[in-house]
Amino acid sequence: MLTRRRFLASSGTGLLALASGCRALLPDTGRSLSQEAVSSLVLPSLADRIRNVKLKNYLLGYPINMSSPPAGFFAWREQLNDAGIGAIAHNNVGNPFEKSTIHYNTHDFEREIIQYFGERFAFPPHDIWGFLSHSGTDSNMHGMYMGRTILKSRTGLQPKSYVTHEAHYSVHILGDLLGLESIFVETLPDGGMDANDLRRKLTENRNHPALVVATIGTTFKGAIDRIDQLQEALEGYASFLHLDAALFGGYLPYTSHSQEISYQIGDHRRAARYDSIAVSCHKFFGFTSPAGLFVTTISHFNEFNEQFSRIHNPEYIHHVPGTITCSRDAVKPAEFSYYTTPAASARLTEDARMMLENTEYLQAQLLSYFPHLESTRANAFSNTLYFRKPVSFIVEKYSLATMRLVINQKQRDYAHIVVMPHAHRNILDEFLMDLEQDRTITT
């Protein structure tokens, strides 16, 4: 098998040969480039990337886990490569729970992933459907499209979507893409959806079914929409409740707060608390490229797919695909299956614990030594702190996200930190030291 290492060392046209002063032939034209020309084009870019990797732990403003996956993940990748996954074309077209006529797929890995995480989200083991999507936004799109399709089928009416301004911007884009009228629900002081205002808005629009997109961990404030209260408000209405749990849905199952995103809770398994859920793989898990989980029930999928089949029933692939996207990445499910292993679960549990402990530590330090920053943590489950925007060099050094917020009827600039697994105490302490050096607030 021709590995990357063997390729680099195999011939005079490889990069190792270039390092020895040889000239490389360009395969498409036969033209050659000198070592100096290649160095001027390639090496500065690589050097910049290497520097960025060394500074990765300073990225505090966005929900990206910059910790490198463990050695076991890369060993698994090698095994997959040896099996041809990632070495030759594979395609996960169609429903992963249906037999495919295209043998070069990883539907088996995909099914195992959805079953594993579906059970972690407390779905009934016998009633789980989903797939590994291209991203959290892709998962949100499928949840909103499924909800729109089911509600329109049940009522004959186009639903209206109920969201807050705190929801991720992808939700607003997708509402426009799906032709949904958006009803904006007010938020509570912590940033979560106000169930009482939802009741008012539902009453005002009672002639239309309701597609509610709730957020478990809002983008900037880290608020959690109270889904049980939302369900109480929805009682008596034709509705579909989709959860955008991009970040929090990754780590909460590994904590004692897992019921915050449980599909059902309690010894006797109450009625469903929501209808579908979207989680990002590249946030808490630290998966090395964007991907997303989409999980719902088989019963919801069957109801949706009956309507979906009326749009197109492709004889070409021998079944109704059930997904919006046709060709889907087959390498990602195979790679991401590593995160269902006991070793990965143990590491993720430890990451979640340390992440929340470090969030609590940073919040205590900010409140004690920098009260003027007005640091706020929306809830005890959140790894997000938002505070008055510090000086520019701190914003730039730690890649802080910033927003202008209206709090207590005053509009001011705020920044936030998302304490991910790579944000170790030494980095947080350095951030605090930088704050100490300059206490000036940019207003």
Side-chain angles (χ1 to χ4, degrees):
M1 177 182 172
L2 185 62
T3 65
R4 179 176 179 276
R5 185 185 297 249
R6 290 177 182 172
F7 168 74
L8 292 178
S10 61
S11 71
T13 60
L15 293 181
L16 294 183
L18 287 175
S20 301
C22 297
R23 297 166 67 83
L25 291 178
L26 299 180
D28 56 339
T29 64
R31 291 179 297 167
S32 63
L33 286 178
S34 66
Q35 177 184 355
E36 292 77 15
V38 172
S39 296
S40 66
L41 290 173
V42 178
L43 295 185
S45 174
L46 295 178
D48 288 343
R49 291 173 186 272
I50 291 170
R51 279 194 296 271
N52 287 339
V53 168
K54 290 180 179 178
L55 296 173
K56 64 185 179 65
N57 288 349
Y58 288 93
L59 193 152
L60 299 182
Y62 295 89
I64 306 169
N65 182 356
M66 299 302 291
S67 298
S68 179
F73 171 78
F74 294 104
W76 174 237
R77 244 190 191 176
E78 286 294 323
Q79 294 180 56
L80 294 174
N81 193 65
D82 290 343
I85 299 170
I88 61 173
H90 281 63
N91 193 327
N92 273 16
V93 64
N95 180 355
F97 290 84
E98 286 282 352
K99 183 178 179 180
S100 176
T101 57
I102 303 172
H103 300 302
Y104 296 95
N105 64 58
T106 61
H107 283 164
D108 51 346
F109 289 113
E110 198 167 15
R111 288 191 298 271
E112 290 173 5
I113 289 167
I114 296 304
Q115 188 68 33
Y116 176 84
F117 283 101
E119 292 185 29
R120 275 200 169 268
F121 301 145
F123 279 76
H126 61 280
D127 194 15
I128 299 172
W129 185 89
F131 64 99
L132 198 83
S133 71
H134 296 295
S135 65
T137 297
D138 191 18
S139 295
N140 280 336
M141 177 168 64
H142 203 85
M144 293 176 70
Y145 181 55
M146 177 176 280
R148 189 193 76 170
T149 302
I150 288 175
L151 290 173
K152 191 171 183 178
S153 170
R154 290 176 182 174
T155 67
L157 297 170
Q158 179 84 329
K160 295 185 179 183
S161 68
Y162 292 78
V163 297
T164 73
H165 287 291
E166 300 284 347
H168 190 264
Y169 64 87
S170 67
V171 174
H172 306 301
I173 294 171
L174 293 170
D176 181 60
L177 181 68
L178 293 169
L180 295 168
E181 180 184 343
S182 295
I183 307 297
F184 287 97
V185 182
E186 295 299 322
T187 55
L188 299 167
D190 67 358
M193 185 180 287
D194 185 342
N196 289 327
D197 190 56
L198 176 61
R199 282 190 179 88
R200 288 189 287 270
K201 299 293 171 55
L202 288 167
T203 301
E204 294 169 4
N205 298 275
R206 64 171 60 253
N207 293 328
H208 289 267
L211 171 58
V212 178
V213 182
T215 305
I216 308 300
T218 59
T219 305
F220 196 80
K221 295 180 180 177
I224 293 178
D225 291 348
R226 296 156 177 80
I227 55 180
D228 293 324
Q229 294 180 17
L230 301 184
Q231 280 290 14
E232 290 175 5
L234 289 168
E235 190 173 346
Y237 292 90
S239 64
F240 188 98
L241 178 58
H242 171 71
L243 296 193
D244 177 9
L247 169 60
F248 285 37
Y251 70 80
L252 284 175
Y254 297 92
T255 72
S256 59
H257 312 302
S258 60
Q259 69 178 23
E260 291 296 320
I261 56 159
S262 293
Y263 177 78
Q264 295 176 320
I265 58 175
D267 295 336
H268 301 291
R269 296 290 182 176
R270 300 181 341 183
R273 302 172 70 219
Y274 55 87
D275 297 293
S276 61
I277 185 171
V279 177
S280 295
C281 301
H282 51 285
K283 292 186 176 176
F284 169 66
F285 298 101
F287 191 54
T288 53
S289 62
L293 297 168
F294 175 76
V295 184
T296 187
T297 61
I298 296 173
S299 49
H300 275 329
F301 170 74
N302 289 338
E303 184 178 2
F304 161 77
N305 214 36
E306 182 180 350
Q307 303 304 315
F308 193 57
S309 67
R310 298 178 184 182
I311 298 170
H312 185 49
N313 191 340
E315 184 180 355
Y316 181 70
I317 63 170
H318 296 193
H319 71 273
V320 180
T323 58
I324 300 170
T325 47
C326 300
S327 292
R328 289 186 292 108
D329 194 332
V331 178
K332 287 178 181 178
E335 290 182 341
F336 193 71
S337 65
Y338 171 80
Y339 292 91
T340 66
T341 64
S345 179
R347 173 177 164 136
L348 293 169
T349 300
E350 177 63 13
D351 281 349
R353 183 185 69 81
M354 291 299 297
M355 198 169 68
L356 293 181
E357 285 185 3
N358 285 340
T359 304
E360 188 173 344
Y361 166 78
L362 180 58
Q363 174 69 339
Q365 298 300 308
L366 288 172
L367 292 177
S368 295
Y369 298 103
F370 305 96
H372 58 284
L373 292 180
E374 302 170 4
S375 179
T376 303
R377 186 184 187 190
N379 53 73
F381 321 130
S382 176
N383 67 330
T384 304
L385 305 175
Y386 63 97
F387 43 86
R388 297 282 298 280
K389 179 183 172 183
V391 292
S392 296
F393 92 86
I394 294 178
V395 171
E396 293 172 7
K397 177 177 177 178
Y398 298 96
S399 301
L400 302 185
T402 61
M403 282 188 70
R404 177 155 286 191
L405 304 177
V406 177
I407 297 179
N408 296 327
Q409 299 181 331
K410 293 181 180 179
Q411 187 178 73
R412 290 173 174 160
D413 291 327
Y414 283 78
H416 82 175
I417 279 180
V418 187
V419 182
M420 299 299 289
H422 66 270
H424 301 301
R425 290 282 177 96
N426 63 317
I427 297 295
L428 300 181
D429 286 341
E430 187 171 339
F431 169 74
L432 293 167
M433 289 173 60
D434 285 338
L435 288 178
E436 181 62 33
Q437 287 180 7
D438 192 336
R439 289 174 170 267
T440 303
I441 301 175
T442 302
T443 57

